[in-house]
Structure formats: structure tokens, C-alpha cells
């Protein structure tokens, strides 16, 4: 079985470091590049919040400013607790083998700088796996002979961009919470799809527990996709309809509060009461369906992209393995 040389590109967000660690445990990763996205920040929810909360506050809005800060503080604690309860710990790169080169970019959102392009190229990767870093330029996309794969935290035909789990909750569409592993193109989250999956949603879930579940599921999907690429059995599904594109600037304290208020008013319970009829139209739009086992105590049950493609064409039953 051929061994791939893999380079991972991530941001400093804890979920992205989790992604890098899990792949490095399973595959021969020769390099991990951690892109600094905001100066003087720690690898915590602050990274993701600062991606979306760059709003201006005038002196006349002091009361509103204090209220917004309280929302951010409470949401930050919610995210911290959700991550620990779902994934167990905050990740670092301290356990990465010495044979794997770790590079932290000095500039902000600087992964496309010629310095890092040269360093990535020097590692001679067959494949690059991406989660959370900036949009990649053509110089990086051209480096690996087997392409660049991205873990996107949404179903691309419905939600593209950032904070897509939050937006699915805000829009009262928890059935659209999911993840996509796809080839990176010149666009945003619109490359050919390998796998899509949806996490098991339970009573008591909120945007951040769902986000942590999406990350865990997405890592499993990426692992399967890398194995399929390695073994020459990967199937690519062109994205026929591009979902709404969400940008960082759209996330405000009001959006966070709205999403949590809808959870408090029973959004998850209402969805679960109508789960079968709400899930069916979503499932019909998915490609490379990566099956989640409804029993959270068992490993995820999956089918390969080849098996799923055959099942969609009606050539043989889609069975889980």
C-alpha cells in the first residue's frame, strides 16, 4: 500500500489543531503549517470570535457595548464547556513526532506568502489537507500531485463560508448542520465533494456542541477521504448548487444571542419531533454520504465513496461497513 506524504494547513483555532493532531496520528504527515489569523491571540474561541466580531462601537453606545460584551463572555464560556464535554481537552501540537516539521506563520493570514509556498513545496507533499486557514492561492494548489482537500464545517450546497453551524441554528434549520470534505478549487467551499455527513443531534445540543460534533465527524470523513485517495478509489461529485456564502462580518452579538434564544425556545426539541420528514429532503441532496451511527457509544459506520456512488446509481445496495 502506497504511503502518502501529507502536509496539513490549519489556523490556530483549537478545533483546527484537533484536526491536525488526529490526522498526524493516522497518516505520515511531513509538515503542519499553522496560520496566524489575528495578532496576539491565543488558540481559543477568541480566534473564531475575532474572525466575525470586528464591529465598531461609538461612545454613545456604552450600555449596548456592555450588553454585547456580556453576550460574548457567556458565549465564550458556552463554547469552552461544549468543546471540553465533546472533545475532552484543548489541543496542542506537543505530541507531534519530531519528523514532522511544524511552521507557524509570522504574518497575519500569510499562508500564501512566497516564503511559506517554498517551504510547503520543499516537503514534496502528495496531498495537502486543509482546515480553517485562509483561501489558498494557485501556487499552493498546484503543489501536490493528488490535490488539496478541505474540511468545510457545513453542507456546501446549503451553507458555505464560516460559522455555518451557527447560521443553520440561527436560521432554524438544524437539519442542515453537517460537514463536507471536498477538493479545493479557486472558489469558496465549492470544489468537487468526496464526503458529506451530519452529526447525531441530541436534546440539549446548542450551536457549540453541534460545532464540536461536526469537527469530530469531519476528521473521520477526512481520514476516510485520504485513505480513498491513497488507495485510488476516491469518487468526486461536482457541486451542482452552491449554498449561501456567509462571511465573518455577518456574525454579531445579536446573531449569537438570537441563535441561543431559539435553542432556549425549543428549536432542537421541535426538530427532533419532526426529524424524519425534515431530514429526508436534506439527505436527498447529499453526496458521498458518510453515515453516522445513531448509537454514540459505537464507532461511526461508513461507506466508501465508491460504494456510495454505486448506491446512488442503483447498481448495488449501499451497505455500511
Amino acid at each position: 500500500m502506497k504511503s502518502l506524504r501529507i502536509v496539513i494547513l490549519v489556523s490556530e483555532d483549537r478545533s483546527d489543531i484537533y484536526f491536525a493532531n488526529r490526522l498526524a496520528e493516522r497518516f505520515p504527515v511531513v509538515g503542519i503549517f499553522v496560520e496566524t489569523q489575528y495578532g496576539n491571540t491565543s488558540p481559543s474561541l477568541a480566534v473564531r470570535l475575532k474572525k466575525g466580531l470586528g464591529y465598531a462601537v461609538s461612545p454613545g453606545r456604552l450600555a449596548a457595548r456592555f450588553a454585547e460584551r456580556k453576550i460574548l463572555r457567556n458565549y465564550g464560556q458556552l463554547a469552552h464547556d461544549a468543546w471540553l464535554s465533546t472533545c475532552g481537552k484543548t489541543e496542542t501540537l506537543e505530541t507531534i513526532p519530531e519528523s514532522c516539521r511544524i511552521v507557524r506563520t509570522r504574518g497575519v493570514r500569510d499562508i500564501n506568502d512566497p516564503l511559506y509556498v517554498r517551504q510547503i513545496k520543499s516537503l514534496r507533499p502528495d496531498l495537502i489537507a486543509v482546515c480553517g486557514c485562509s483561501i489558498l492561492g494557485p501556487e499552493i494548489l498546484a503543489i501536490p500531485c493528488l490535490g488539496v482537500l478541505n474540511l468545510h464545517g457545513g453542507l456546501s450546497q446549503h451553507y458555505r463560508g464560516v460559522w455555518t453551524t451557527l447560521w443553520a441554528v440561527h436560521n432554524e434549520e438544524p437539519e442542515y448542520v453537517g460537514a463536507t470534505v471536498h477538493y479545493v478549487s479557486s472558489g469558496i467551499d465549492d470544489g468537487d465533494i468526496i464526503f458529506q455527513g451530519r452529526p447525531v443531534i441530541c436534546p440539549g445540543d446548542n450551536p457549540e456542541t453541534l460545532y464540536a460534533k461536526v469537527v469530530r465527524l469531519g476528521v473521520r470523513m477526512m481520514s476516510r477521504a485520504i485513505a480513498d485517495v491513497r488507495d485510488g478509489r476516491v469518487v468526486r461529485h461536482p457541486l451542482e448548487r452552491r449554498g449561501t456564502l456567509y462571511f465573518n462580518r455577518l456574525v454579531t452579538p445579536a446573531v449569537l444571542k438570537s441563535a441561543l434564544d431559539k435553542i432556549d425556545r425549543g428549536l432542537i426539541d421541535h426538530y427532533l419531533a419532526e426529524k424524519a420528514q425534515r431530514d429526508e429532503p436534506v439527505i436527498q441532496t447529499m453526496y458521498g454520504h458518510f453515515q453516522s451511527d445513531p448509537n454514540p457509544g459505537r464507532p461511526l459506520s461508513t461507506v466508501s465513496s465508491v460504494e456510495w456512488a454505486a448506491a446512488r446509481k442503483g447498481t448495488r445496495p449501499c451497505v455500511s461497513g
Side-chain angles (χ1 to χ4, degrees):
M1 183 178 298
K2 180 183 177 182
S3 178
L4 298 181
R5 294 177 61 84
I6 298 170
V7 165
I8 296 173
L9 309 181
V10 292
S11 81
E12 69 268 62
D13 182 51
R14 62 186 162 205
S15 59
D16 299 344
I17 301 302
Y18 174 91
F19 170 90
N21 278 336
R22 299 293 81 76
L23 292 187
E25 291 171 354
R26 301 171 189 179
F27 298 101
V29 174
V30 296
I32 298 174
F33 288 71
V34 182
E35 183 187 40
T36 300
Q37 299 203 330
Y38 291 87
N40 301 319
T41 59
S42 60
S44 65
L45 177 76
V47 177
R48 285 199 294 130
L49 287 177
K50 287 188 178 183
K51 288 179 182 177
L53 302 178
Y55 58 94
V57 180
S58 66
R61 293 185 63 237
L62 284 179
R65 180 176 183 176
F66 287 132
E68 289 170 343
R69 284 183 172 178
K70 182 178 180 180
I71 292 171
L72 298 184
R73 185 170 58 250
N74 291 342
Y75 196 91
Q77 186 62 52
L78 175 76
H80 174 77
D81 294 344
W83 183 263
L84 291 183
S85 66
T86 305
C87 297
K89 64 177 180 179
T90 297
E91 298 282 329
T92 70
L93 295 175
E94 294 177 355
T95 60
I96 297 296
E98 292 184 2
S99 59
C100 176
R101 182 177 183 184
I102 298 176
V103 177
R104 297 181 184 274
T105 65
R106 294 181 180 180
V108 174
R109 298 186 180 182
D110 217 15
I111 193 65
N112 292 296
D113 185 276
L115 170 65
Y116 303 116
V117 173
R118 289 195 299 270
Q119 292 180 355
I120 293 170
K121 187 177 295 186
S122 72
L123 294 172
R124 297 178 290 107
D126 300 301
L127 185 73
I128 294 177
V130 178
C131 185
C133 69
S134 299
I135 296 173
L136 301 179
E139 294 82 5
I140 292 179
L141 296 181
I143 292 173
C145 60
L146 296 178
V148 180
L149 304 185
N150 179 54
L151 170 56
H152 166 56
L155 301 179
S156 299
Q157 61 270 62
H158 303 291
Y159 286 86
R160 295 183 300 130
V162 296
W163 289 81
T164 45
T165 298
L166 173 72
W167 282 113
V169 172
H170 178 272
N171 296 340
E172 302 184 38
E173 296 178 329
E175 61 268 30
Y176 290 112
V177 170
T180 300
V181 172
H182 64 90
Y183 280 93
V184 177
S185 66
S186 59
I188 301 176
D189 301 326
D190 63 0
D192 290 354
I193 294 167
I194 300 176
F195 286 121
Q196 292 189 309
R198 299 164 61 243
V200 175
I201 299 178
C202 302
D205 270 330
N206 60 58
E208 288 300 314
T209 60
L210 292 174
Y211 173 73
K213 288 181 178 183
V214 165
V215 172
R216 292 188 63 180
L217 173 63
V219 168
R220 292 185 174 99
M221 290 165 51
M222 180 63 78
S223 296
R224 176 60 70 90
I226 291 173
D228 280 2
V229 171
R230 177 195 63 201
D231 298 339
R233 64 184 185 189
V234 69
V235 175
R236 302 172 64 143
H237 309 276
L239 181 64
E240 297 176 357
R241 183 179 75 88
R242 294 190 291 180
T244 302
L245 181 58
Y246 290 89
F247 295 99
N248 295 321
R249 64 179 180 270
L250 299 176
V251 180
T252 65
V255 169
L256 299 178
K257 184 177 185 301
S258 173
L260 295 182
D261 286 347
K262 290 173 181 179
I263 292 288
D264 290 341
R265 292 198 295 268
L267 173 65
I268 298 299
D269 291 337
H270 295 157
Y271 157 71
L272 292 173
E274 306 168 341
K275 187 176 187 305
Q277 55 266 43
R278 292 180 66 166
D279 284 356
E280 183 58 28
V282 181
I283 293 170
Q284 291 299 318
T285 69
M286 292 172 65
Y287 293 96
H289 194 178
F290 193 95
Q291 301 278 8
S292 296
D293 195 310
N295 181 347
R298 293 172 52 195
L300 286 172
S301 176
T302 66
V303 294
S304 74
S305 54
V306 171
E307 291 170 332
W308 180 251
R312 283 178 64 90
K313 294 176 182 177
T315 56
R316 62 190 179 98
C318 180
V319 296
S320 17

